[in-house]
Amino acid sequence: PSRIEEDLIDALVAEGVLVIAAMGNEFEEGDPTEWPAAYANVLAVGAIGEDRRRASFSNTGAHINVVAPGNNILSTLPSYKYFGRDEVGYAAWPGTSMAAPHVAGVAALLKAKYAQKSGLWIGQRLEQTALKLPAMGASKFSRADFLFFTPDGLEQASGEIVSGWRARRFAGYPLAADL
């Protein structure tokens, strides 16, 4: 962890920004804690496969907030070969970095609909309205129920916050209802 990086994230959150980060893909190499996902003010995203279970590579930890599709995700690539990769144009890749954009996209849609709301409020709504995946409790994830984003979650995202999406770790930060 970096104090400078954490201070920057805290400053962004204080200005109303929602910071989203991928959990990391090293589960099979010891499941290390990855930063910036582990910072208290970051919405940490793990990956699930098509079976809605933890993707074999997805890191876990008490700081995880949500999971999203992260296996066989079609993505754009540079039009030239790089770092020894032969793929160009498009390819289907796995990774928590493929899952995090799903969450960021839903967050952007919420921000468009609720422009006056803070990033904290958006993060709270994402976690509260995501589909619960009780089967995830049997995996090495640290929470009993995990959250998966569906289009329905966006429609459920109206209303006021009852409790924080990670309020216990946001000491000193107001909840959206207080803003």
Side-chain angles (χ1 to χ4, degrees), residues 1 4 16 29 38 60 62 66 94 101 118 120 125 131 136 138 160 163 169:
I4 293 171
E29 289 84 37
T60 64
V66 295
S118 71
L120 177 59
R125 295 314 301 165
L131 174 68
M136 298 302 284
E160 291 302 314
S163 62
R169 298 185 73 188

Side-chain angles (χ1 to χ4, degrees), residues 90-155:
Y90 297 93
W93 284 2
T96 57
S97 59
M98 297 286 121
H102 287 87
V103 178
V106 175
L109 291 172
L110 284 171
K111 187 63 175 175
K113 186 170 183 178
Y114 302 103
Q116 76 285 5
K117 299 294 187 180
S118 71
L120 177 59
W121 187 90
I122 301 287
Q124 291 168 338
R125 295 314 301 165
L126 289 173
E127 192 167 16
Q128 290 174 355
T129 60
L131 174 68
K132 305 288 189 281
L133 294 178
M136 298 302 284
S139 73
K140 196 180 169 196
F141 279 126
S142 297
R143 294 184 185 180
D145 290 324
F146 279 82
L147 307 171
F148 171 68
F149 291 113
T150 65
D152 293 340
L154 182 60
E155 293 305 315

Side-chain angles (χ1 to χ4, degrees), residues 28-97:
E28 295 169 349
E29 289 84 37
D31 195 23
T33 300
E34 294 289 343
W35 308 90
Y39 291 125
N41 289 339
V42 172
L43 186 74
V45 181
I48 57 172
E50 294 91 337
D51 61 357
R52 291 189 175 186
R53 296 193 179 278
R54 183 186 59 80
S56 63
F57 52 82
S58 182
N59 287 9
T60 64
H63 57 287
I64 192 170
N65 296 99
V66 295
V67 294
N71 207 16
N72 296 318
I73 305 300
L74 187 62
S75 183
T76 57
L77 304 174
S79 59
Y80 54 89
K81 295 179 183 182
Y82 65 102
F83 298 117
R85 292 197 175 266
D86 292 331
E87 302 163 306
V88 295
Y90 297 93
W93 284 2
T96 57
S97 59

